[in-house]
Amino acid sequence: MLSKSAQAVKNAAHENSSKMTYTLEALPYAQDALAPHISAETLDFHYGKHHAGYVTRLNSLIASSDLKSLSIEEITAKGPTNVPAGIYNSAAQTYNHTFYWKSLAPAATRQAAPSQKLNDLIVKSFGSFDAFKTKFSDVAAGHFGSGWAWLVQDKSSGLLKIVDTHDAVSVVHDTTVKPILVCDVWEHAYYIDYRNLRPKYIESWWSLVNWQFAESNLI
Amino acid sequence: MLTRLALTTPRLTRGFAAAAATGGVSKFSLPDLSFAPGALEPFISAQIMEIHHAKHHQTYVNNLNIAIEKLEEAVHKKDAAAVLALNSAINFNYGGHVNHTIFWKNLAPQSQGGGDLQKGALQAALTKQFGSLDSFITNFNGQAAAVQGSGWGWLVYNKTTKSLEIATTSNQDPILGHRVPLLGIDVWEHAYYLQYKNVRPDYLKNIWNVVNWKDVSERYLAASQ
């Protein structure tokens, strides 16, 4: 079953009913809009090569698959063990990146802090905003290898929690949670700007968090 | 459970725990490179080599030593749960340390024989197993390019079948057991990104110019004795 947010982020798949192809969703801001925290050069590769590459690969793999009537979210929601690896990886990476771009906003124009409603939920879930920030940063920095750090909302308790996933794996197949925010900790997300210093990149991620997007994802 | 289940090997931690119990785990340290960081240019830039060796590898060494210290404490307190909880950190950082230690030795500047596979036992075995050196490289590069996320491509000697094999590992999982690592190629993005960006296949194509076949051959002879 698809979560509501997954449907809201009916992202890169602008499906064409006669010829099923997936397209790369436009960035929600200019390529240099996240500088100096994340450079235009990083976005040039991260969006223009990596993200675009996953869409291209998905289109080439899906042609002969009976999954081709599904949206990117629907393929991702099947989970990593129920879809051929190449198709899952391409679809989930497309979904994850689209969600990542939406999790960020230009520092100058974004809402600088979570709304009262979101902040209250953060405090209720983690004790304090600082405790949340520390825990999320630790999970993201401590993730072994490539992957993603997520803020998700537990559908039964309504509380927020932090999870990390490996490589292409998304959270969409977990029907107990709803994704709220994501931080990409693949090295390609930060290597041009920060080299090996993943914690510095995570610090910059905090300067770019799109709190309005986060709030819009709450149940 | 969202994160992939750790496929790490508890026996690795058991081995360290046994050594820790007898006070026998010594501090790990960063080995020197046996060539200047710029010596692999133009195939691998000096900048990549400097950061890869002095920053990335050093971090694995530091975090391994921290994990071992915690392990010694846990063993001392006879806290089995704490020992087990250190499993993934030890696997990751120990793997990161041994994999990179092999990798540096597996590389050599062309002026020191890099890229030159001489006739001999390894060359004969590679030809027998894969048809030719070229078809071995094509096969190896195909598998290494397809590693999802971070990991390694390997040429290993299988002691059970007494033959050469191509293998891949995820993250920093080390090659253990009946397979002996002969040649490891790092396909983490940090191994190539500053020079090759997203184009991992170009990095894989070029790295064979600086493979230290002499070192790989010595490992093969030692493993196949």
mmCIF file of all heavy atoms in Angstrom, chain B residues 25-57:
data_model
loop_
_atom_site.group_PDB
_atom_site.id
_atom_site.type_symbol
_atom_site.label_atom_id
_atom_site.label_comp_id
_atom_site.label_asym_id
_atom_site.label_seq_id
_atom_site.Cartn_x
_atom_site.Cartn_y
_atom_site.Cartn_z
ATOM 1 N N VAL B 25 45.473 -7.784 21.891
ATOM 2 C CA VAL B 25 45.191 -6.985 20.692
ATOM 3 C C VAL B 25 46.038 -5.725 20.740
ATOM 4 O O VAL B 25 45.897 -4.897 21.624
ATOM 5 C CB VAL B 25 43.702 -6.598 20.608
ATOM 6 C CG1 VAL B 25 43.436 -5.796 19.339
ATOM 7 C CG2 VAL B 25 42.839 -7.842 20.621
ATOM 8 N N SER B 26 46.931 -5.601 19.771
ATOM 9 C CA SER B 26 47.792 -4.419 19.786
ATOM 10 C C SER B 26 47.120 -3.314 18.987
ATOM 11 O O SER B 26 46.192 -3.548 18.219
ATOM 12 C CB SER B 26 49.155 -4.764 19.208
ATOM 13 O OG SER B 26 48.990 -5.361 17.952
ATOM 14 N N LYS B 27 47.602 -2.122 19.164
ATOM 15 C CA LYS B 27 47.078 -0.965 18.442
ATOM 16 C C LYS B 27 47.386 -1.103 16.952
ATOM 17 O O LYS B 27 48.463 -1.545 16.577
ATOM 18 C CB LYS B 27 47.748 0.299 18.964
ATOM 19 C CG LYS B 27 47.231 0.720 20.309
ATOM 20 C CD LYS B 27 46.187 1.798 20.132
ATOM 21 C CE LYS B 27 45.583 2.191 21.478
ATOM 22 N NZ LYS B 27 44.401 3.016 21.313
ATOM 23 N N PHE B 28 46.410 -0.734 16.143
ATOM 24 C CA PHE B 28 46.645 -0.729 14.704
ATOM 25 C C PHE B 28 47.208 0.630 14.315
ATOM 26 O O PHE B 28 46.928 1.640 14.959
ATOM 27 C CB PHE B 28 45.337 -0.994 13.967
ATOM 28 C CG PHE B 28 44.837 -2.399 14.161
ATOM 29 C CD1 PHE B 28 43.989 -2.716 15.223
ATOM 30 C CD2 PHE B 28 45.235 -3.421 13.311
ATOM 31 C CE1 PHE B 28 43.543 -4.018 15.427
ATOM 32 C CE2 PHE B 28 44.791 -4.726 13.500
ATOM 33 C CZ PHE B 28 43.944 -5.018 14.561
ATOM 34 N N SER B 29 48.014 0.658 13.252
ATOM 35 C CA SER B 29 48.535 1.948 12.797
ATOM 36 C C SER B 29 48.520 2.012 11.280
ATOM 37 O O SER B 29 48.448 0.986 10.595
ATOM 38 C CB SER B 29 49.942 2.180 13.337
ATOM 39 O OG SER B 29 50.786 1.154 12.890
ATOM 40 N N LEU B 30 48.575 3.228 10.777
ATOM 41 C CA LEU B 30 48.502 3.456 9.328
ATOM 42 C C LEU B 30 49.825 3.060 8.672
ATOM 43 O O LEU B 30 50.870 3.602 9.025
ATOM 44 C CB LEU B 30 48.212 4.940 9.068
ATOM 45 C CG LEU B 30 48.058 5.369 7.610
ATOM 46 C CD1 LEU B 30 46.780 4.789 7.011
ATOM 47 C CD2 LEU B 30 48.037 6.896 7.497
ATOM 48 N N PRO B 31 49.788 2.130 7.708
ATOM 49 C CA PRO B 31 51.041 1.800 7.014
ATOM 50 C C PRO B 31 51.412 2.911 6.029
ATOM 51 O O PRO B 31 50.540 3.587 5.490
ATOM 52 C CB PRO B 31 50.693 0.511 6.256
ATOM 53 C CG PRO B 31 49.218 0.588 6.029
ATOM 54 C CD PRO B 31 48.639 1.369 7.185
ATOM 55 N N ASP B 32 52.709 3.091 5.805
ATOM 56 C CA ASP B 32 53.148 4.072 4.806
ATOM 57 C C ASP B 32 52.828 3.579 3.401
ATOM 58 O O ASP B 32 52.766 2.377 3.158
ATOM 59 C CB ASP B 32 54.670 4.279 4.901
ATOM 60 C CG ASP B 32 55.060 5.019 6.172
ATOM 61 O OD1 ASP B 32 54.222 5.785 6.698
ATOM 62 O OD2 ASP B 32 56.196 4.810 6.646
ATOM 63 N N LEU B 33 52.658 4.535 2.480
ATOM 64 C CA LEU B 33 52.608 4.172 1.060
ATOM 65 C C LEU B 33 54.036 3.871 0.614
ATOM 66 O O LEU B 33 54.976 4.499 1.104
ATOM 67 C CB LEU B 33 52.072 5.343 0.230
ATOM 68 C CG LEU B 33 50.608 5.721 0.357
ATOM 69 C CD1 LEU B 33 50.312 6.946 -0.512
ATOM 70 C CD2 LEU B 33 49.713 4.555 -0.058
ATOM 71 N N SER B 34 54.177 2.941 -0.325
ATOM 72 C CA SER B 34 55.536 2.646 -0.772
ATOM 73 C C SER B 34 55.918 3.454 -2.017
ATOM 74 O O SER B 34 56.870 3.133 -2.710
ATOM 75 C CB SER B 34 55.688 1.147 -1.024
ATOM 76 O OG SER B 34 54.622 0.682 -1.798
ATOM 77 N N PHE B 35 55.148 4.502 -2.292
ATOM 78 C CA PHE B 35 55.458 5.406 -3.411
ATOM 79 C C PHE B 35 54.874 6.769 -3.056
ATOM 80 O O PHE B 35 54.038 6.874 -2.139
ATOM 81 C CB PHE B 35 54.858 4.880 -4.726
ATOM 82 C CG PHE B 35 53.437 4.383 -4.576
ATOM 83 C CD1 PHE B 35 52.369 5.272 -4.603
ATOM 84 C CD2 PHE B 35 53.164 3.026 -4.383
ATOM 85 C CE1 PHE B 35 51.067 4.818 -4.445
ATOM 86 C CE2 PHE B 35 51.863 2.564 -4.230
ATOM 87 C CZ PHE B 35 50.815 3.473 -4.264
ATOM 88 N N ALA B 36 55.307 7.826 -3.772
ATOM 89 C CA ALA B 36 54.769 9.162 -3.510
ATOM 90 C C ALA B 36 53.309 9.221 -3.955
ATOM 91 O O ALA B 36 52.931 8.537 -4.912
ATOM 92 C CB ALA B 36 55.594 10.202 -4.260
ATOM 93 N N PRO B 37 52.481 10.029 -3.276
ATOM 94 C CA PRO B 37 51.061 10.082 -3.637
ATOM 95 C C PRO B 37 50.815 10.443 -5.106
ATOM 96 O O PRO B 37 49.827 10.005 -5.699
ATOM 97 C CB PRO B 37 50.494 11.168 -2.713
ATOM 98 C CG PRO B 37 51.446 11.264 -1.574
ATOM 99 C CD PRO B 37 52.798 10.877 -2.115
ATOM 100 N N GLY B 38 51.744 11.218 -5.693
ATOM 101 C CA GLY B 38 51.559 11.625 -7.082
ATOM 102 C C GLY B 38 52.095 10.621 -8.086
ATOM 103 O O GLY B 38 51.970 10.811 -9.299
ATOM 104 N N ALA B 39 52.685 9.532 -7.608
ATOM 105 C CA ALA B 39 53.388 8.605 -8.494
ATOM 106 C C ALA B 39 52.450 7.789 -9.383
ATOM 107 O O ALA B 39 52.899 7.158 -10.337
ATOM 108 C CB ALA B 39 54.267 7.666 -7.677
ATOM 109 N N LEU B 40 51.156 7.770 -9.067
ATOM 110 C CA LEU B 40 50.215 6.987 -9.890
ATOM 111 C C LEU B 40 49.536 7.837 -10.962
ATOM 112 O O LEU B 40 48.692 7.344 -11.709
ATOM 113 C CB LEU B 40 49.163 6.314 -9.002
ATOM 114 C CG LEU B 40 49.692 5.431 -7.868
ATOM 115 C CD1 LEU B 40 48.533 4.784 -7.117
ATOM 116 C CD2 LEU B 40 50.655 4.359 -8.382
ATOM 117 N N GLU B 41 49.918 9.124 -11.019
ATOM 118 C CA GLU B 41 49.327 9.994 -12.045
ATOM 119 C C GLU B 41 49.794 9.553 -13.418
ATOM 120 O O GLU B 41 50.896 9.034 -13.547
ATOM 121 C CB GLU B 41 49.735 11.451 -11.773
ATOM 122 C CG GLU B 41 49.011 11.981 -10.536
ATOM 123 C CD GLU B 41 49.157 13.500 -10.378
ATOM 124 O OE1 GLU B 41 50.027 14.093 -11.043
ATOM 125 O OE2 GLU B 41 48.380 14.065 -9.610
ATOM 126 N N PRO B 42 49.022 9.738 -14.468
ATOM 127 C CA PRO B 42 47.726 10.429 -14.491
ATOM 128 C C PRO B 42 46.535 9.512 -14.157
ATOM 129 O O PRO B 42 45.397 9.951 -14.265
ATOM 130 C CB PRO B 42 47.626 10.892 -15.956
ATOM 131 C CG PRO B 42 48.286 9.791 -16.717
ATOM 132 C CD PRO B 42 49.418 9.307 -15.816
ATOM 133 N N PHE B 43 46.789 8.288 -13.762
ATOM 134 C CA PHE B 43 45.682 7.332 -13.606
ATOM 135 C C PHE B 43 44.918 7.551 -12.298
ATOM 136 O O PHE B 43 43.697 7.415 -12.258
ATOM 137 C CB PHE B 43 46.216 5.905 -13.721
ATOM 138 C CG PHE B 43 47.055 5.718 -14.954
ATOM 139 C CD1 PHE B 43 48.425 5.543 -14.887
ATOM 140 C CD2 PHE B 43 46.446 5.785 -16.209
ATOM 141 C CE1 PHE B 43 49.191 5.421 -16.031
ATOM 142 C CE2 PHE B 43 47.217 5.663 -17.369
ATOM 143 C CZ PHE B 43 48.595 5.487 -17.277
ATOM 144 N N ILE B 44 45.677 7.869 -11.230
ATOM 145 C CA ILE B 44 45.043 8.275 -9.975
ATOM 146 C C ILE B 44 45.774 9.514 -9.486
ATOM 147 O O ILE B 44 47.001 9.500 -9.341
ATOM 148 C CB ILE B 44 45.105 7.179 -8.887
ATOM 149 C CG1 ILE B 44 44.504 5.868 -9.414
ATOM 150 C CG2 ILE B 44 44.356 7.620 -7.629
ATOM 151 C CD1 ILE B 44 44.579 4.724 -8.414
ATOM 152 N N SER B 45 45.031 10.572 -9.242
ATOM 153 C CA SER B 45 45.663 11.851 -8.918
ATOM 154 C C SER B 45 46.296 11.834 -7.536
ATOM 155 O O SER B 45 45.897 11.078 -6.640
ATOM 156 C CB SER B 45 44.636 12.982 -8.993
ATOM 157 O OG SER B 45 43.750 12.910 -7.889
ATOM 158 N N ALA B 46 47.288 12.720 -7.359
ATOM 159 C CA ALA B 46 47.965 12.862 -6.065
ATOM 160 C C ALA B 46 46.956 13.238 -4.980
ATOM 161 O O ALA B 46 47.018 12.737 -3.853
ATOM 162 C CB ALA B 46 49.051 13.932 -6.158
ATOM 163 N N GLN B 47 46.011 14.105 -5.345
ATOM 164 C CA GLN B 47 45.020 14.560 -4.363
ATOM 165 C C GLN B 47 44.176 13.391 -3.845
ATOM 166 O O GLN B 47 43.934 13.264 -2.649
ATOM 167 C CB GLN B 47 44.124 15.617 -5.015
ATOM 168 C CG GLN B 47 43.239 16.324 -4.021
ATOM 169 C CD GLN B 47 42.225 17.231 -4.693
ATOM 170 O OE1 GLN B 47 41.868 17.028 -5.857
ATOM 171 N NE2 GLN B 47 41.750 18.232 -3.971
ATOM 172 N N ILE B 48 43.739 12.542 -4.768
ATOM 173 C CA ILE B 48 42.962 11.369 -4.342
ATOM 174 C C ILE B 48 43.794 10.506 -3.404
ATOM 175 O O ILE B 48 43.340 10.111 -2.332
ATOM 176 C CB ILE B 48 42.499 10.538 -5.562
ATOM 177 C CG1 ILE B 48 41.359 11.252 -6.286
ATOM 178 C CG2 ILE B 48 42.066 9.125 -5.126
ATOM 179 C CD1 ILE B 48 40.879 10.543 -7.537
ATOM 180 N N MET B 49 45.025 10.230 -3.809
ATOM 181 C CA MET B 49 45.866 9.336 -3.001
ATOM 182 C C MET B 49 46.137 9.917 -1.620
ATOM 183 O O MET B 49 46.128 9.203 -0.619
ATOM 184 C CB MET B 49 47.184 9.048 -3.723
ATOM 185 C CG MET B 49 47.052 8.134 -4.928
ATOM 186 S SD MET B 49 46.312 6.517 -4.523
ATOM 187 C CE MET B 49 47.612 5.834 -3.478
ATOM 188 N N GLU B 50 46.379 11.229 -1.563
ATOM 189 C CA GLU B 50 46.651 11.856 -0.263
ATOM 190 C C GLU B 50 45.456 11.724 0.682
ATOM 191 O O GLU B 50 45.606 11.318 1.834
ATOM 192 C CB GLU B 50 46.998 13.349 -0.452
ATOM 193 C CG GLU B 50 48.465 13.574 -0.727
ATOM 194 C CD GLU B 50 48.736 14.944 -1.338
ATOM 195 O OE1 GLU B 50 47.861 15.843 -1.248
ATOM 196 O OE2 GLU B 50 49.827 15.119 -1.926
ATOM 197 N N ILE B 51 44.284 12.105 0.188
ATOM 198 C CA ILE B 51 43.097 12.077 1.055
ATOM 199 C C ILE B 51 42.723 10.629 1.388
ATOM 200 O O ILE B 51 42.383 10.306 2.525
ATOM 201 C CB ILE B 51 41.911 12.806 0.383
ATOM 202 C CG1 ILE B 51 42.257 14.283 0.168
ATOM 203 C CG2 ILE B 51 40.643 12.668 1.227
ATOM 204 C CD1 ILE B 51 41.217 15.057 -0.614
ATOM 205 N N HIS B 52 42.833 9.770 0.377
ATOM 206 C CA HIS B 52 42.426 8.373 0.568
ATOM 207 C C HIS B 52 43.287 7.701 1.642
ATOM 208 O O HIS B 52 42.779 7.015 2.527
ATOM 209 C CB HIS B 52 42.552 7.643 -0.777
ATOM 210 C CG HIS B 52 41.767 6.374 -0.861
ATOM 211 N ND1 HIS B 52 41.642 5.651 -2.018
ATOM 212 C CD2 HIS B 52 41.060 5.691 0.056
ATOM 213 C CE1 HIS B 52 40.893 4.588 -1.791
ATOM 214 N NE2 HIS B 52 40.534 4.591 -0.533
ATOM 215 N N HIS B 53 44.578 7.941 1.556
ATOM 216 C CA HIS B 53 45.496 7.308 2.506
ATOM 217 C C HIS B 53 45.500 8.027 3.861
ATOM 218 O O HIS B 53 45.231 7.427 4.898
ATOM 219 C CB HIS B 53 46.910 7.276 1.893
ATOM 220 C CG HIS B 53 47.959 6.730 2.811
ATOM 221 N ND1 HIS B 53 48.908 7.527 3.415
ATOM 222 C CD2 HIS B 53 48.206 5.476 3.257
ATOM 223 C CE1 HIS B 53 49.698 6.790 4.170
ATOM 224 N NE2 HIS B 53 49.295 5.539 4.099
ATOM 225 N N ALA B 54 45.778 9.331 3.841
ATOM 226 C CA ALA B 54 46.002 10.053 5.103
ATOM 227 C C ALA B 54 44.713 10.369 5.855
ATOM 228 O O ALA B 54 44.745 10.572 7.069
ATOM 229 C CB ALA B 54 46.782 11.337 4.834
ATOM 230 N N LYS B 55 43.588 10.436 5.160
ATOM 231 C CA LYS B 55 42.319 10.759 5.839
ATOM 232 C C LYS B 55 41.434 9.521 5.994
ATOM 233 O O LYS B 55 41.092 9.126 7.096
ATOM 234 C CB LYS B 55 41.564 11.852 5.086
ATOM 235 C CG LYS B 55 42.348 13.133 4.879
ATOM 236 C CD LYS B 55 42.590 13.879 6.171
ATOM 237 C CE LYS B 55 43.286 15.210 5.896
ATOM 238 N NZ LYS B 55 43.626 15.908 7.145
ATOM 239 N N HIS B 56 41.053 8.928 4.851
ATOM 240 C CA HIS B 56 40.114 7.803 4.953
ATOM 241 C C HIS B 56 40.721 6.617 5.704
ATOM 242 O O HIS B 56 40.151 6.125 6.668
ATOM 243 C CB HIS B 56 39.647 7.364 3.554
ATOM 244 C CG HIS B 56 38.709 8.339 2.916
ATOM 245 N ND1 HIS B 56 37.360 8.370 3.200
ATOM 246 C CD2 HIS B 56 38.917 9.329 2.019
ATOM 247 C CE1 HIS B 56 36.776 9.335 2.499
ATOM 248 N NE2 HIS B 56 37.703 9.936 1.764
ATOM 249 N N HIS B 57 41.886 6.157 5.246
ATOM 250 C CA HIS B 57 42.474 4.989 5.905
ATOM 251 C C HIS B 57 42.783 5.298 7.371
ATOM 252 O O HIS B 57 42.519 4.484 8.263
ATOM 253 C CB HIS B 57 43.737 4.533 5.147
ATOM 254 C CG HIS B 57 44.248 3.194 5.595
ATOM 255 N ND1 HIS B 57 45.207 2.493 4.931
ATOM 256 C CD2 HIS B 57 43.944 2.430 6.673
ATOM 257 C CE1 HIS B 57 45.466 1.351 5.564
ATOM 258 N NE2 HIS B 57 44.709 1.298 6.634
#
